[in-house]
Amino acid sequence: MPYLAVVLFLPWFLLLGTLFWSFPRQPRGRQRRLFDTLSLLIAFALSAAGMSWGYALGALYAGSGAIWRQVLATLVAYGAFLMVMTVAVPLRTWWLGRR
């Protein structure tokens, strides 16, 4: 059940990942594709790890219902994904501008 959060957010993650990959349209080189691929892999990995951690944290509190475990797992997973994307966008702009 802890992976329900990622299943529900997967379409949104794919949409955000596609936008990150697609824009800006130029320059497109091997290094840009490598940077984008690594950024997205890190974002998905941290999101999955955050989701597991959030679900486990929610399970520690006996008074919380089962739905709150999913809510916390989803919030942590989404926050981890957005954190990586928020860092990756200006880093990519700076890195591509340096070349």
Side-chain angles (χ1 to χ4, degrees):
M1 252 351 209
Y3 297 107
L4 179 63
V6 137
V7 170
L8 294 175
F9 259 71
L10 193 58
W12 181 241
F13 288 165
L14 290 175
L15 177 67
L16 291 177
T18 301
L19 290 173
F20 174 75
W21 184 273
S22 299
F23 295 102
R25 297 206 183 267
Q26 296 296 331
R28 287 250 188 235
R30 188 168 83 61
Q31 292 179 340
R32 157 97 187 264
R33 285 190 300 273
L34 179 64
F35 181 87
D36 288 355
T37 301
L38 286 175
S39 298
L40 289 170
L41 287 175
I42 291 169
F44 282 116
L46 284 181
S47 180
M51 180 226 22
S52 295
W53 179 75
Y55 188 83
L57 186 63
L60 288 177
Y61 297 103
S64 65
I67 189 68
W68 294 110
R69 294 177 197 154
Q70 294 297 331
V71 169
L72 184 59
T74 303
L75 289 174
V76 174
Y78 188 54
F81 187 87
L82 286 182
M83 179 193 67
V84 173
M85 291 292 100
T86 301
V87 170
V89 168
L91 185 63
R92 180 178 66 183
T93 303
W94 170 80
W95 183 64
L96 288 176
R98 231 176 33 125
R99 297 180 58 219

